[in-house]
Each structure stands twice: as C-alpha cells, then as structure tokens.
Amino acid sequence: MVKIMFVCHGNICRSPMAEFLFRDMVKKAGREGEISCASSAVSAEEIWGENGSPVYPPVKALLNSLGISCEGKRAVQLRASDAEKYDFFVCMDESNLRGAKRILGAAGAGKCRKLLSFAGEDGDVSDPWYTRDFQKAYEDIRRGLEGILRSV
C-alpha cells in the first residue's frame, strides 16, 4: 500500500482538495487497495486545540459539484511522527515543501516533493486563499494528481 500525505499551509483549501480528488481518482481507477492518502498543514493557524477548521466553503462547493464529499474533514497539522507512516509528502508549493521538511526532519525530508513535479513541472499550485481562483487551483492539482496516479 502506497501512502501519500498532501500538504499545504492551513489544510483547508489545496491539500484537502487534493486528498478528496485523489481518493475519487483512485477509486475510479480501481486501485483502492493499492493507494491511500490524507492531508495536513504545515501551520497550526487553522487549528485550535483539537479542533481544526473544516474545508473552506468554496473548496467544499467545488468538490460537491464534482460529486465528491469532504464531509467531516477538519484541518490537522503535519507531525514529525508522520515520517514513518507515509511514503510521499506531496506539497503544494515551495514554502510548504520547506515547512514539511522542517517538521519531518531527516526521516521524512527525502520523501517530500512538490505536487506539480509529478506533472513534469517546477511551479507551485495556485493558492486560492489569495487568488480567489479555485478553478485554477483545481486545474493545477488535477494535473499533479494525474501524474501521481501514473507514477505509483
């Protein structure tokens, strides 16, 4: 079983979008027994004690429009102990990549990559928190996820 952790800043927009889109892609490909995934944040700003924020409403609406539910998902922070649990840490941008490597330390740093690298690109996934362009983020994420599905 290949285990993938999607990582973004707050775990309310890009990484949960990637998590739930990828779960849907894996299911449609009939590979549920081969690949599993989750998502987390490098920041704790969307987490208060044990309560993380839910998926940001425009992301939830986009996923719902595709027939994908993210109900119950709450923001969680990446932990050093995750280094032992996951095979890949797929980060949305350069800042997330640096943060994930810092959190995971030597045990997990070599498992970290940017999502668009799986699509043969060097760029970052557009951040809809700042751009308000959720469709652009979706398109970036989808390209990267298609690359992951081909490579694992």
Side-chain angles (χ1 to χ4, degrees):
M1 173 78 72
V2 176
K3 295 180 181 178
I4 300 169
M5 175 70 79
F6 294 104
V7 181
C8 72
H9 182 76
N11 193 218
I12 62 168
C13 288
R14 294 175 295 171
S15 62
M17 186 187 300
E19 174 186 356
F20 289 95
L21 285 171
F22 196 62
R23 284 183 184 179
D24 186 63
M25 292 169 72
V26 166
K27 182 178 181 178
K28 288 176 178 171
R31 298 182 65 188
E32 291 174 292
E34 300 172 39
I35 304 167
S36 69
C37 67
S39 65
S40 62
V42 293
S43 166
E45 68 188 57
E46 290 294 335
I47 304 162
W48 299 273
E50 295 297 315
N51 296 318
S53 295
V55 174
Y56 195 53
V59 172
K60 186 175 182 177
L62 187 149
L63 291 171
N64 285 341
S65 76
L66 299 168
I68 300 170
S69 173
C70 61
E71 205 58 47
K73 170 65 180 169
R74 306 291 266 190
V76 296
Q77 189 172 19
L78 183 66
R79 299 170 187 244
S81 60
D82 290 329
E84 299 172 15
K85 299 174 188 168
Y86 293 89
D87 300 301
F88 295 100
F89 295 88
V90 180
C91 303
M92 300 298 129
D93 62 33
E94 193 66 37
S95 176
N96 305 152
L97 183 66
R98 284 191 310 273
K101 287 179 176 182
R102 178 184 45 79
I103 292 167
L104 296 167
K111 299 177 180 183
C112 296
R113 286 179 62 179
K114 289 198 306 185
L115 176 60
L116 287 176
S117 71
F118 289 94
E121 301 174 30
D122 187 44
D124 294 341
V125 171
S126 175
D127 191 343
W129 183 258
Y130 300 105
T131 67
R132 312 316 288 168
D133 190 345
F134 293 89
Q135 186 63 36
K136 171 73 169 122
Y138 165 77
E139 291 165 7
D140 288 349
I141 289 168
R142 182 129 190 114
R143 279 196 321 281
L145 296 178
E146 288 168 352
I148 292 174
L149 200 56
R150 285 190 301 270
S151 69
V152 295

mmCIF file of all heavy atoms in Angstrom, residues 63-107:
data_model
loop_
_atom_site.group_PDB
_atom_site.id
_atom_site.type_symbol
_atom_site.label_atom_id
_atom_site.label_comp_id
_atom_site.label_asym_id
_atom_site.label_seq_id
_atom_site.Cartn_x
_atom_site.Cartn_y
_atom_site.Cartn_z
ATOM 1 N N LEU A 63 -15.823 20.619 -4.818
ATOM 2 C CA LEU A 63 -15.827 19.152 -4.713
ATOM 3 C C LEU A 63 -17.251 18.609 -4.850
ATOM 4 O O LEU A 63 -17.477 17.629 -5.568
ATOM 5 C CB LEU A 63 -15.197 18.711 -3.393
ATOM 6 C CG LEU A 63 -13.688 18.946 -3.260
ATOM 7 C CD1 LEU A 63 -13.226 18.678 -1.828
ATOM 8 C CD2 LEU A 63 -12.913 18.086 -4.242
ATOM 9 N N ASN A 64 -18.214 19.229 -4.178
ATOM 10 C CA ASN A 64 -19.610 18.783 -4.271
ATOM 11 C C ASN A 64 -20.111 18.830 -5.705
ATOM 12 O O ASN A 64 -20.860 17.951 -6.137
ATOM 13 C CB ASN A 64 -20.512 19.617 -3.364
ATOM 14 C CG ASN A 64 -20.361 19.266 -1.897
ATOM 15 O OD1 ASN A 64 -19.867 18.210 -1.531
ATOM 16 N ND2 ASN A 64 -20.763 20.184 -1.032
ATOM 17 N N SER A 65 -19.691 19.858 -6.463
ATOM 18 C CA SER A 65 -20.128 19.977 -7.865
ATOM 19 C C SER A 65 -19.599 18.824 -8.719
ATOM 20 O O SER A 65 -20.148 18.527 -9.775
ATOM 21 C CB SER A 65 -19.687 21.314 -8.463
ATOM 22 O OG SER A 65 -18.302 21.314 -8.777
ATOM 23 N N LEU A 66 -18.539 18.171 -8.226
ATOM 24 C CA LEU A 66 -17.962 17.013 -8.916
ATOM 25 C C LEU A 66 -18.492 15.691 -8.351
ATOM 26 O O LEU A 66 -18.028 14.621 -8.734
ATOM 27 C CB LEU A 66 -16.429 17.042 -8.797
ATOM 28 C CG LEU A 66 -15.739 18.256 -9.419
ATOM 29 C CD1 LEU A 66 -14.280 18.315 -8.997
ATOM 30 C CD2 LEU A 66 -15.867 18.223 -10.935
ATOM 31 N N GLY A 67 -19.420 15.796 -7.404
ATOM 32 C CA GLY A 67 -19.982 14.597 -6.782
ATOM 33 C C GLY A 67 -19.071 13.994 -5.726
ATOM 34 O O GLY A 67 -19.169 12.810 -5.416
ATOM 35 N N ILE A 68 -18.183 14.807 -5.157
ATOM 36 C CA ILE A 68 -17.212 14.331 -4.168
ATOM 37 C C ILE A 68 -17.507 15.006 -2.825
ATOM 38 O O ILE A 68 -17.548 16.231 -2.740
ATOM 39 C CB ILE A 68 -15.772 14.663 -4.612
ATOM 40 C CG1 ILE A 68 -15.463 13.998 -5.959
ATOM 41 C CG2 ILE A 68 -14.769 14.233 -3.549
ATOM 42 C CD1 ILE A 68 -14.158 14.472 -6.590
ATOM 43 N N SER A 69 -17.693 14.204 -1.794
ATOM 44 C CA SER A 69 -17.947 14.734 -0.458
ATOM 45 C C SER A 69 -16.646 14.811 0.346
ATOM 46 O O SER A 69 -15.821 13.903 0.299
ATOM 47 C CB SER A 69 -18.926 13.834 0.293
ATOM 48 O OG SER A 69 -19.050 14.267 1.641
ATOM 49 N N CYS A 70 -16.498 15.905 1.093
ATOM 50 C CA CYS A 70 -15.365 16.039 2.019
ATOM 51 C C CYS A 70 -15.905 16.245 3.436
ATOM 52 O O CYS A 70 -15.221 16.776 4.305
ATOM 53 C CB CYS A 70 -14.445 17.180 1.595
ATOM 54 S SG CYS A 70 -15.243 18.800 1.572
ATOM 55 N N GLU A 71 -17.139 15.826 3.638
ATOM 56 C CA GLU A 71 -17.826 15.999 4.914
ATOM 57 C C GLU A 71 -17.000 15.395 6.045
ATOM 58 O O GLU A 71 -16.483 14.286 5.938
ATOM 59 C CB GLU A 71 -19.196 15.326 4.855
ATOM 60 C CG GLU A 71 -20.204 15.903 5.801
ATOM 61 C CD GLU A 71 -20.446 17.387 5.593
ATOM 62 O OE1 GLU A 71 -20.628 17.833 4.458
ATOM 63 O OE2 GLU A 71 -20.439 18.106 6.612
ATOM 64 N N GLY A 72 -16.881 16.142 7.121
ATOM 65 C CA GLY A 72 -16.171 15.659 8.307
ATOM 66 C C GLY A 72 -14.683 15.975 8.329
ATOM 67 O O GLY A 72 -14.045 15.834 9.374
ATOM 68 N N LYS A 73 -14.115 16.391 7.205
ATOM 69 C CA LYS A 73 -12.685 16.712 7.168
ATOM 70 C C LYS A 73 -12.435 17.988 7.969
ATOM 71 O O LYS A 73 -13.120 18.984 7.791
ATOM 72 C CB LYS A 73 -12.213 16.891 5.713
ATOM 73 C CG LYS A 73 -10.796 17.451 5.569
ATOM 74 C CD LYS A 73 -9.743 16.511 6.102
ATOM 75 C CE LYS A 73 -8.350 17.122 5.943
ATOM 76 N NZ LYS A 73 -7.352 16.367 6.661
ATOM 77 N N ARG A 74 -11.446 17.936 8.853
ATOM 78 C CA ARG A 74 -11.024 19.084 9.647
ATOM 79 C C ARG A 74 -9.516 19.227 9.500
ATOM 80 O O ARG A 74 -8.808 18.247 9.316
ATOM 81 C CB ARG A 74 -11.345 18.883 11.127
ATOM 82 C CG ARG A 74 -12.790 18.545 11.437
ATOM 83 C CD ARG A 74 -13.699 19.664 11.196
ATOM 84 N NE ARG A 74 -13.941 20.431 12.400
ATOM 85 C CZ ARG A 74 -14.867 21.370 12.475
ATOM 86 N NH1 ARG A 74 -15.635 21.627 11.455
ATOM 87 N NH2 ARG A 74 -15.034 22.056 13.560
ATOM 88 N N ALA A 75 -9.027 20.444 9.576
ATOM 89 C CA ALA A 75 -7.597 20.704 9.445
ATOM 90 C C ALA A 75 -6.813 19.993 10.547
ATOM 91 O O ALA A 75 -7.228 19.986 11.715
ATOM 92 C CB ALA A 75 -7.325 22.206 9.505
ATOM 93 N N VAL A 76 -5.704 19.396 10.150
ATOM 94 C CA VAL A 76 -4.754 18.783 11.082
ATOM 95 C C VAL A 76 -3.353 19.228 10.677
ATOM 96 O O VAL A 76 -3.095 19.541 9.520
ATOM 97 C CB VAL A 76 -4.837 17.237 11.096
ATOM 98 C CG1 VAL A 76 -6.177 16.764 11.595
ATOM 99 C CG2 VAL A 76 -4.535 16.656 9.726
ATOM 100 N N GLN A 77 -2.456 19.233 11.651
ATOM 101 C CA GLN A 77 -1.085 19.649 11.370
ATOM 102 C C GLN A 77 -0.194 18.439 11.143
ATOM 103 O O GLN A 77 -0.345 17.402 11.802
ATOM 104 C CB GLN A 77 -0.525 20.498 12.506
ATOM 105 C CG GLN A 77 0.813 21.121 12.152
ATOM 106 C CD GLN A 77 1.299 22.115 13.192
ATOM 107 O OE1 GLN A 77 0.859 22.109 14.333
ATOM 108 N NE2 GLN A 77 2.214 22.978 12.792
ATOM 109 N N LEU A 78 0.713 18.566 10.198
ATOM 110 C CA LEU A 78 1.733 17.559 9.938
ATOM 111 C C LEU A 78 2.584 17.394 11.196
ATOM 112 O O LEU A 78 2.892 18.369 11.880
ATOM 113 C CB LEU A 78 2.605 18.017 8.756
ATOM 114 C CG LEU A 78 3.689 17.074 8.279
ATOM 115 C CD1 LEU A 78 3.078 15.803 7.687
ATOM 116 C CD2 LEU A 78 4.560 17.779 7.233
ATOM 117 N N ARG A 79 2.959 16.152 11.489
ATOM 118 C CA ARG A 79 3.771 15.856 12.675
ATOM 119 C C ARG A 79 5.019 15.087 12.274
ATOM 120 O O ARG A 79 5.004 14.344 11.286
ATOM 121 C CB ARG A 79 2.978 15.002 13.666
ATOM 122 C CG ARG A 79 1.736 15.656 14.175
ATOM 123 C CD ARG A 79 0.888 14.660 14.945
ATOM 124 N NE ARG A 79 -0.384 15.256 15.281
ATOM 125 C CZ ARG A 79 -0.785 15.478 16.523
ATOM 126 N NH1 ARG A 79 -0.026 15.138 17.522
ATOM 127 N NH2 ARG A 79 -1.953 16.023 16.740
ATOM 128 N N ALA A 80 6.046 15.221 13.059
ATOM 129 C CA ALA A 80 7.301 14.506 12.796
ATOM 130 C C ALA A 80 7.058 12.997 12.708
ATOM 131 O O ALA A 80 7.663 12.311 11.880
ATOM 132 C CB ALA A 80 8.332 14.821 13.872
ATOM 133 N N SER A 81 6.149 12.472 13.523
ATOM 134 C CA SER A 81 5.863 11.032 13.530
ATOM 135 C C SER A 81 5.247 10.548 12.221
ATOM 136 O O SER A 81 5.272 9.353 11.917
ATOM 137 C CB SER A 81 4.944 10.675 14.703
ATOM 138 O OG SER A 81 3.714 11.378 14.605
ATOM 139 N N ASP A 82 4.711 11.469 11.402
ATOM 140 C CA ASP A 82 4.154 11.084 10.109
ATOM 141 C C ASP A 82 5.227 10.568 9.159
ATOM 142 O O ASP A 82 4.919 9.841 8.215
ATOM 143 C CB ASP A 82 3.413 12.259 9.459
ATOM 144 C CG ASP A 82 2.125 12.617 10.181
ATOM 145 O OD1 ASP A 82 1.483 11.709 10.760
ATOM 146 O OD2 ASP A 82 1.761 13.810 10.169
ATOM 147 N N ALA A 83 6.473 10.927 9.395
ATOM 148 C CA ALA A 83 7.574 10.494 8.517
ATOM 149 C C ALA A 83 7.623 8.982 8.387
ATOM 150 O O ALA A 83 7.963 8.455 7.321
ATOM 151 C CB ALA A 83 8.912 11.029 9.028
ATOM 152 N N GLU A 84 7.270 8.284 9.444
ATOM 153 C CA GLU A 84 7.304 6.814 9.436
ATOM 154 C C GLU A 84 6.047 6.205 8.821
ATOM 155 O O GLU A 84 6.051 5.036 8.439
ATOM 156 C CB GLU A 84 7.468 6.289 10.867
ATOM 157 C CG GLU A 84 8.743 6.737 11.539
ATOM 158 C CD GLU A 84 8.763 6.367 13.010
ATOM 159 O OE1 GLU A 84 7.952 5.529 13.449
ATOM 160 O OE2 GLU A 84 9.607 6.935 13.726
ATOM 161 N N LYS A 85 4.967 6.976 8.735
ATOM 162 C CA LYS A 85 3.673 6.439 8.315
ATOM 163 C C LYS A 85 3.380 6.582 6.826
ATOM 164 O O LYS A 85 2.508 5.909 6.305
ATOM 165 C CB LYS A 85 2.554 7.135 9.092
ATOM 166 C CG LYS A 85 2.635 6.945 10.591
ATOM 167 C CD LYS A 85 1.592 7.788 11.290
ATOM 168 C CE LYS A 85 1.801 7.759 12.791
ATOM 169 N NZ LYS A 85 1.008 8.776 13.466
ATOM 170 N N TYR A 86 4.073 7.508 6.154
ATOM 171 C CA TYR A 86 3.759 7.826 4.753
ATOM 172 C C TYR A 86 4.969 7.642 3.853
ATOM 173 O O TYR A 86 6.109 7.841 4.279
ATOM 174 C CB TYR A 86 3.219 9.262 4.636
ATOM 175 C CG TYR A 86 1.875 9.406 5.293
ATOM 176 C CD1 TYR A 86 1.768 9.735 6.637
ATOM 177 C CD2 TYR A 86 0.699 9.155 4.580
ATOM 178 C CE1 TYR A 86 0.532 9.828 7.257
ATOM 179 C CE2 TYR A 86 -0.540 9.246 5.187
ATOM 180 C CZ TYR A 86 -0.616 9.582 6.526
ATOM 181 O OH TYR A 86 -1.836 9.657 7.135
ATOM 182 N N ASP A 87 4.683 7.280 2.603
ATOM 183 C CA ASP A 87 5.731 7.076 1.607
ATOM 184 C C ASP A 87 6.099 8.364 0.876
ATOM 185 O O ASP A 87 7.242 8.539 0.456
ATOM 186 C CB ASP A 87 5.275 6.030 0.579
ATOM 187 C CG ASP A 87 4.966 4.700 1.232
ATOM 188 O OD1 ASP A 87 5.869 4.131 1.866
ATOM 189 O OD2 ASP A 87 3.803 4.252 1.135
ATOM 190 N N PHE A 88 5.112 9.250 0.689
ATOM 191 C CA PHE A 88 5.311 10.516 -0.008
ATOM 192 C C PHE A 88 4.609 11.635 0.741
ATOM 193 O O PHE A 88 3.501 11.452 1.234
ATOM 194 C CB PHE A 88 4.720 10.482 -1.435
ATOM 195 C CG PHE A 88 5.378 9.531 -2.367
ATOM 196 C CD1 PHE A 88 4.801 8.296 -2.623
ATOM 197 C CD2 PHE A 88 6.568 9.855 -3.005
ATOM 198 C CE1 PHE A 88 5.385 7.403 -3.491
ATOM 199 C CE2 PHE A 88 7.169 8.966 -3.872
ATOM 200 C CZ PHE A 88 6.581 7.736 -4.114
ATOM 201 N N PHE A 89 5.259 12.794 0.774
ATOM 202 C CA PHE A 89 4.656 14.023 1.282
ATOM 203 C C PHE A 89 4.612 14.973 0.097
ATOM 204 O O PHE A 89 5.652 15.432 -0.386
ATOM 205 C CB PHE A 89 5.466 14.594 2.451
ATOM 206 C CG PHE A 89 5.443 13.671 3.629
ATOM 207 C CD1 PHE A 89 6.381 12.666 3.770
ATOM 208 C CD2 PHE A 89 4.429 13.772 4.579
ATOM 209 C CE1 PHE A 89 6.335 11.781 4.842
ATOM 210 C CE2 PHE A 89 4.380 12.891 5.650
ATOM 211 C CZ PHE A 89 5.332 11.893 5.783
ATOM 212 N N VAL A 90 3.417 15.201 -0.411
ATOM 213 C CA VAL A 90 3.224 15.950 -1.645
ATOM 214 C C VAL A 90 2.762 17.359 -1.287
ATOM 215 O O VAL A 90 1.641 17.559 -0.833
ATOM 216 C CB VAL A 90 2.221 15.222 -2.566
ATOM 217 C CG1 VAL A 90 2.028 15.997 -3.847
ATOM 218 C CG2 VAL A 90 2.709 13.798 -2.859
ATOM 219 N N CYS A 91 3.654 18.320 -1.511
ATOM 220 C CA CYS A 91 3.451 19.699 -1.078
ATOM 221 C C CYS A 91 2.953 20.568 -2.230
ATOM 222 O O CYS A 91 3.335 20.364 -3.384
ATOM 223 C CB CYS A 91 4.761 20.250 -0.524
ATOM 224 S SG CYS A 91 5.411 19.243 0.837
ATOM 225 N N MET A 92 2.141 21.554 -1.888
ATOM 226 C CA MET A 92 1.521 22.394 -2.907
ATOM 227 C C MET A 92 2.440 23.489 -3.434
ATOM 228 O O MET A 92 2.295 23.918 -4.573
ATOM 229 C CB MET A 92 0.243 23.041 -2.362
ATOM 230 C CG MET A 92 -0.811 22.030 -1.927
ATOM 231 S SD MET A 92 -1.396 20.984 -3.273
ATOM 232 C CE MET A 92 -1.195 19.372 -2.521
ATOM 233 N N ASP A 93 3.392 23.945 -2.609
ATOM 234 C CA ASP A 93 4.299 24.996 -3.077
ATOM 235 C C ASP A 93 5.639 24.913 -2.354
ATOM 236 O O ASP A 93 5.828 24.073 -1.466
ATOM 237 C CB ASP A 93 3.665 26.391 -2.948
ATOM 238 C CG ASP A 93 3.328 26.802 -1.525
ATOM 239 O OD1 ASP A 93 4.048 26.407 -0.577
ATOM 240 O OD2 ASP A 93 2.350 27.543 -1.352
ATOM 241 N N GLU A 94 6.542 25.786 -2.762
ATOM 242 C CA GLU A 94 7.906 25.778 -2.212
ATOM 243 C C GLU A 94 7.918 26.024 -0.707
ATOM 244 O O GLU A 94 8.679 25.392 0.030
ATOM 245 C CB GLU A 94 8.750 26.833 -2.938
ATOM 246 C CG GLU A 94 10.231 26.720 -2.677
ATOM 247 C CD GLU A 94 10.861 25.456 -3.230
ATOM 248 O OE1 GLU A 94 10.464 25.002 -4.318
ATOM 249 O OE2 GLU A 94 11.752 24.907 -2.546
ATOM 250 N N SER A 95 7.073 26.924 -0.242
ATOM 251 C CA SER A 95 7.005 27.208 1.187
ATOM 252 C C SER A 95 6.521 25.988 1.969
ATOM 253 O O SER A 95 7.063 25.663 3.033
ATOM 254 C CB SER A 95 6.072 28.399 1.432
ATOM 255 O OG SER A 95 5.926 28.640 2.809
ATOM 256 N N ASN A 96 5.516 25.303 1.444
ATOM 257 C CA ASN A 96 5.028 24.075 2.099
ATOM 258 C C ASN A 96 6.104 23.007 2.118
ATOM 259 O O ASN A 96 6.240 22.265 3.089
ATOM 260 C CB ASN A 96 3.812 23.497 1.382
ATOM 261 C CG ASN A 96 2.654 24.444 1.198
ATOM 262 O OD1 ASN A 96 1.895 24.293 0.255
ATOM 263 N ND2 ASN A 96 2.499 25.429 2.066
ATOM 264 N N LEU A 97 6.868 22.925 1.027
ATOM 265 C CA LEU A 97 7.955 21.951 0.931
ATOM 266 C C LEU A 97 8.991 22.203 2.028
ATOM 267 O O LEU A 97 9.392 21.267 2.733
ATOM 268 C CB LEU A 97 8.589 22.019 -0.455
ATOM 269 C CG LEU A 97 9.693 21.019 -0.768
ATOM 270 C CD1 LEU A 97 9.150 19.592 -0.803
ATOM 271 C CD2 LEU A 97 10.340 21.366 -2.114
ATOM 272 N N ARG A 98 9.407 23.450 2.197
ATOM 273 C CA ARG A 98 10.375 23.788 3.254
ATOM 274 C C ARG A 98 9.791 23.475 4.630
ATOM 275 O O ARG A 98 10.472 22.911 5.494
ATOM 276 C CB ARG A 98 10.760 25.265 3.181
ATOM 277 C CG ARG A 98 11.721 25.612 2.081
ATOM 278 C CD ARG A 98 12.269 27.026 2.209
ATOM 279 N NE ARG A 98 11.249 28.055 2.400
ATOM 280 C CZ ARG A 98 10.606 28.675 1.415
ATOM 281 N NH1 ARG A 98 10.873 28.382 0.152
ATOM 282 N NH2 ARG A 98 9.695 29.592 1.687
ATOM 283 N N GLY A 99 8.528 23.843 4.843
ATOM 284 C CA GLY A 99 7.887 23.586 6.133
ATOM 285 C C GLY A 99 7.774 22.111 6.437
ATOM 286 O O GLY A 99 8.024 21.677 7.566
ATOM 287 N N ALA A 100 7.390 21.316 5.447
ATOM 288 C CA ALA A 100 7.260 19.872 5.651
ATOM 289 C C ALA A 100 8.611 19.249 5.989
ATOM 290 O O ALA A 100 8.710 18.429 6.906
ATOM 291 C CB ALA A 100 6.659 19.215 4.411
ATOM 292 N N LYS A 101 9.646 19.646 5.272
ATOM 293 C CA LYS A 101 10.992 19.105 5.556
ATOM 294 C C LYS A 101 11.444 19.480 6.966
ATOM 295 O O LYS A 101 12.057 18.670 7.670
ATOM 296 C CB LYS A 101 11.988 19.611 4.521
ATOM 297 C CG LYS A 101 11.812 18.966 3.164
ATOM 298 C CD LYS A 101 12.813 19.517 2.159
ATOM 299 C CE LYS A 101 12.708 18.805 0.826
ATOM 300 N NZ LYS A 101 13.701 19.301 -0.150
ATOM 301 N N ARG A 102 11.127 20.711 7.390
ATOM 302 C CA ARG A 102 11.488 21.148 8.738
ATOM 303 C C ARG A 102 10.760 20.302 9.789
ATOM 304 O O ARG A 102 11.368 19.839 10.757
ATOM 305 C CB ARG A 102 11.127 22.630 8.902
ATOM 306 C CG ARG A 102 11.402 23.194 10.290
ATOM 307 C CD ARG A 102 10.935 24.638 10.433
ATOM 308 N NE ARG A 102 9.608 24.917 9.902
ATOM 309 C CZ ARG A 102 8.467 24.631 10.505
ATOM 310 N NH1 ARG A 102 8.453 24.009 11.663
ATOM 311 N NH2 ARG A 102 7.298 24.941 9.947
ATOM 312 N N ILE A 103 9.463 20.093 9.591
ATOM 313 C CA ILE A 103 8.673 19.327 10.557
ATOM 314 C C ILE A 103 9.089 17.857 10.585
ATOM 315 O O ILE A 103 9.235 17.258 11.643
ATOM 316 C CB ILE A 103 7.162 19.448 10.246
ATOM 317 C CG1 ILE A 103 6.679 20.874 10.515
ATOM 318 C CG2 ILE A 103 6.342 18.442 11.063
ATOM 319 C CD1 ILE A 103 5.297 21.188 9.955
ATOM 320 N N LEU A 104 9.278 17.270 9.414
ATOM 321 C CA LEU A 104 9.571 15.836 9.323
ATOM 322 C C LEU A 104 11.015 15.484 9.667
ATOM 323 O O LEU A 104 11.294 14.358 10.061
ATOM 324 C CB LEU A 104 9.234 15.326 7.922
ATOM 325 C CG LEU A 104 7.757 15.410 7.535
ATOM 326 C CD1 LEU A 104 7.586 15.182 6.047
ATOM 327 C CD2 LEU A 104 6.921 14.441 8.351
ATOM 328 N N GLY A 105 11.920 16.432 9.515
ATOM 329 C CA GLY A 105 13.320 16.179 9.807
ATOM 330 C C GLY A 105 13.937 15.204 8.824
ATOM 331 O O GLY A 105 13.374 14.906 7.762
ATOM 332 N N ALA A 106 15.087 14.696 9.173
ATOM 333 C CA ALA A 106 15.854 13.818 8.284
ATOM 334 C C ALA A 106 15.077 12.569 7.887
ATOM 335 O O ALA A 106 15.235 12.073 6.767
ATOM 336 C CB ALA A 106 17.174 13.430 8.942
ATOM 337 N N ALA A 107 14.226 12.076 8.769
ATOM 338 C CA ALA A 107 13.480 10.839 8.492
ATOM 339 C C ALA A 107 12.493 10.991 7.343
ATOM 340 O O ALA A 107 12.174 10.016 6.663
ATOM 341 C CB ALA A 107 12.739 10.379 9.744
#
